[in-house]
Amino acid sequence: MDAESLLRRYLEQRRDVGERDLVLDHMTVEEVMRIIGATARGASRGPEPLRPRADVERAERADAAPPPQDDAPRERARDGHQPAAASSSASDEAPPASAPAPARGLEAAGDEAELFGGPISRADSLDEIATMVAKCTRCPLYKTATNPVPGEGSPHARLMCIGEAPGATEDQTGRPFVGAAGQLLTKILAAIQLTRDDVFITNVLKHRPPGNRNPMPDEVTACRPYLVRQIELIRPAVLVAFGTFAAQSLLDTKLSLGKLRGTVHRYRGIPLVVTYHPAALLRNPAWKRPTWEDVQLARRLLDSASA
């Protein structure tokens, strides 16, 4: 891709997330877009060739070397075995102020057959869904779980946090993200001026898989309608998928987390940001910086939606 195309893509990304100012010889984003003949998305390229700037070079490096995939077991940290080196919040290190804005990502429409026409589609409140989850026998997980974990938070949440499945602490309490990883999630939310009461927190699966193994495809299929209906009832402005499995399940993809994060995807029209699971940060503090960048992106999307 030539320098002009890279710059155009970068400017379109900045504009898509609501940014209007660009420090480039005191010109705004729109002024630069007019110079290169790209005032509207998809406009033909202008006649002037441009050399890549530092931001474009950073975008190229990011494309060439995405962060590693979070594919290690999560639950040791979620059950409270927190490494001492990872006890601080994800906001300890702020990203560069000029970090490039993300490109438009995947579009997941969802399968209407997974929801419509069944009793779950007629649930008219989160409490009703919680009652249905408590009685659910759609997959065998209810036989081995101690408590269902339907999710908790504001029914009017503008941001919805979605993980993979309950861990041991969650299974004992019936609440999502309450172990060591949950404490870190609380700090992550505080870093973008949100509390647990402001958001809705849930998982793809509502019962804990035995031994914290990865969910099976039939378990995801059985449980997905609950999550779909929760999203429909809450109507959040932004979704955040924490961890590889949640991201792949929502976006119906096999792409790694490293390739999915840093981009604004859409699930049923709702902007979706992918980031590392808090338990992954407990194992690898080096992932705090990209996680901080991801949640800052979610914050900008929230602010843009409000504006």
Side-chain angles (χ1 to χ4, degrees), residues 210-276:
N212 302 312
R213 62 163 170 74
N214 287 334
M216 304 295 290
D218 59 334
E219 295 165 352
V220 174
T221 299
C223 213
R224 193 196 313 270
Y226 295 119
L227 177 60
V228 172
R229 189 57 180 158
Q230 286 175 322
I231 294 172
E232 287 198 337
L233 289 171
I234 295 171
R235 297 186 180 183
V238 179
L239 299 167
V240 179
F242 287 95
T244 302
F245 192 89
Q248 291 178 341
S249 298
L250 285 167
L251 294 172
D252 191 23
T253 181
K254 296 298 182 183
L255 290 175
S256 69
L257 187 144
K259 293 181 179 179
L260 291 172
R261 63 162 299 274
T263 301
V264 178
H265 308 282
R266 288 188 177 272
Y267 176 81
R268 295 182 175 234
I270 303 172
L272 185 153
V273 174
V274 173
T275 194
Y276 295 99

Side-chain angles (χ1 to χ4, degrees), residues 44-295:
S44 60
R45 289 194 289 175
E48 296 186 31
L50 297 177
R51 294 182 179 276
R53 304 299 192 218
D55 288 324
V56 176
E57 293 169 352
R58 278 194 294 272
E60 287 181 296
R61 288 196 296 270
D63 287 342
Q69 180 179 359
D70 172 21
D71 54 4
R74 308 172 329 283
E75 200 51 46
R76 290 179 59 82
R78 275 209 268 169
D79 286 346
H81 302 287
Q82 178 175 348
S87 59
S88 59
S89 77
S91 62
D92 289 345
E93 297 182 5
S98 58
R104 191 178 298 276
L106 301 178
E107 300 270 349
D111 181 6
E112 293 188 356
E114 69 191 3
L115 176 63
F116 296 105
I120 299 174
S121 68
R122 295 189 289 273
D124 58 9
S125 71
L126 297 176
D127 287 341
E128 185 174 349
I129 291 178
T131 299
M132 298 174 74
V133 169
K135 300 176 181 178
C136 183
T137 59
R138 291 167 61 90
C139 78
L141 290 181
Y142 77 95
K143 298 178 181 179
T144 55
T146 303
N147 286 298
V149 186
E152 66 180 25
S154 170
H156 310 293
R158 297 179 59 245
L159 186 140
M160 192 167 174
C161 303
I162 303 171
E164 174 182 320
T169 306
E170 290 78 12
D171 182 56
Q172 291 296 320
T173 62
R175 300 180 58 206
F177 282 86
V178 291
Q183 296 172 19
L184 183 53
L185 175 61
T186 300
K187 294 179 180 179
I188 291 172
L189 293 172
I192 54 173
Q193 294 79 52
L194 293 171
T195 69
R196 291 177 67 103
D197 291 336
D198 294 325
V199 303
F200 191 85
I201 304 172
T202 189
N203 290 291
V204 175
L205 295 191
K206 311 304 187 187
H207 288 96
R208 179 196 183 197
N212 302 312
R213 62 163 170 74
N214 287 334
M216 304 295 290
D218 59 334
E219 295 165 352
V220 174
T221 299
C223 213
R224 193 196 313 270
Y226 295 119
L227 177 60
V228 172
R229 189 57 180 158
Q230 286 175 322
I231 294 172
E232 287 198 337
L233 289 171
I234 295 171
R235 297 186 180 183
V238 179
L239 299 167
V240 179
F242 287 95
T244 302
F245 192 89
Q248 291 178 341
S249 298
L250 285 167
L251 294 172
D252 191 23
T253 181
K254 296 298 182 183
L255 290 175
S256 69
L257 187 144
K259 293 181 179 179
L260 291 172
R261 63 162 299 274
T263 301
V264 178
H265 308 282
R266 288 188 177 272
Y267 176 81
R268 295 182 175 234
I270 303 172
L272 185 153
V273 174
V274 173
T275 194
Y276 295 99
H277 195 285
L281 307 184
L282 298 177
R283 298 190 310 274
N284 191 339
W287 289 341
K288 287 182 181 180
R289 179 179 289 274
T291 301
W292 172 241
E293 294 170 353
D294 296 335
V295 297

